[in-house]
Amino acid sequence: MKIKDLKVVYDAQAIAARVAEMGQEINRLYAGEDVVVVCVLKGAFMFFADLVRHLDMRPELDFVRVASYGASTATCGTVSFTKDVEVPLQGKHVLLVEDIVDTGHTVDFLFRQLAARGAKSLRLAALVDKQERRAVPVRVDFAGFALPGGFIVGYGLDYAERYRELPGIYEAVIEPEGA
């Protein structure tokens, strides 16, 4: 697969405004509570960094890394845990921050893993909630944008480790095979 062109879906200003709104929604929910905010690497790193700057409950921050896509546009269905959380989760609220929820396999895997650590509650903030290929029912508690379809890159989202640096979210126009 080769990307032929990129079309803006959400520009940097729209993302910044929505992330600020999400921060306020999260602040209202967790006011006065102990919260661990967990970033799912690599894709959520930009969203996570911008989101936590809007949180005023002084959360603990941690990171996990899982792999499910590789250099493809479709998940292989197998999720592997490559970096685990280091902060104890027992008795704490946990907010998982993900770039995109697509099939739901990754979030389902992470929720099962984090629930086993004794979290008081588990909630999910996702920049993009994309339900076209949802295979596992997962709830996105704080959704930045709902997107019906298409393959997107930018603002942390990648294709084969490229395009993460783009300031907005773009739909990738794929060059047909053999073109």
Side-chain angles (χ1 to χ4, degrees):
M1 178 184 99
K2 184 176 178 189
I3 293 179
K4 176 181 175 181
D5 194 21
L6 299 172
K7 294 183 180 179
V8 176
V9 178
Y10 302 107
D11 65 19
Q13 293 77 19
I15 294 169
R18 183 61 190 124
V19 170
E21 290 170 359
M22 291 174 75
Q24 294 311 308
E25 293 168 22
I26 293 165
N27 284 332
R28 283 191 293 277
L29 177 68
Y30 290 119
E33 299 285 344
D34 288 332
V35 181
V36 178
V37 183
V38 178
C39 176
V40 181
L41 295 172
K42 295 179 187 173
F45 78 99
M46 284 189 176
F47 171 47
F48 177 81
D50 289 343
L51 181 65
V52 298
R53 284 188 275 247
H54 292 285
L55 302 182
D56 56 16
M57 81 284 297
R58 301 284 185 249
E60 292 180 83
L61 306 179
D62 208 342
F63 302 85
V64 295
R65 186 169 179 205
V66 295
S68 65
Y69 280 82
S72 173
T73 62
T75 182
C76 61
T78 302
V79 180
S80 60
F81 216 159
T82 60
K83 189 229 175 285
D84 203 345
V85 292
E86 298 170 8
V87 171
L89 303 180
Q90 182 71 39
K92 297 177 185 174
H93 297 288
V94 176
L95 176 65
L96 188 66
V97 177
E98 179 66 290
D99 56 353
I100 184 168
V101 179
D102 191 359
T103 64
H105 288 293
T106 300
V107 170
D108 180 62
F109 170 81
L110 287 168
F111 269 17
R112 285 185 283 113
Q113 294 293 319
L114 300 178
R117 317 284 169 81
K120 186 175 186 179
S121 71
L122 285 167
R123 289 195 174 85
L124 174 64
L127 179 62
V128 176
D129 185 4
K130 188 175 157 199
Q131 296 193 14
E132 74 175 326
R133 298 185 309 174
R134 190 70 47 88
V136 178
V138 294
R139 186 182 79 239
V140 179
D141 300 285
F142 305 98
F145 303 99
L147 194 64
F151 184 72
I152 56 174
V153 296
Y155 195 68
L157 296 153
D158 76 304
Y159 168 66
E161 298 301 326
R162 296 181 185 265
Y163 304 99
R164 292 187 195 277
E165 78 287 354
L166 297 173
I169 296 174
Y170 300 80
E171 182 173 2
V173 178
I174 309 301
E175 186 171 291
E177 292 293 325

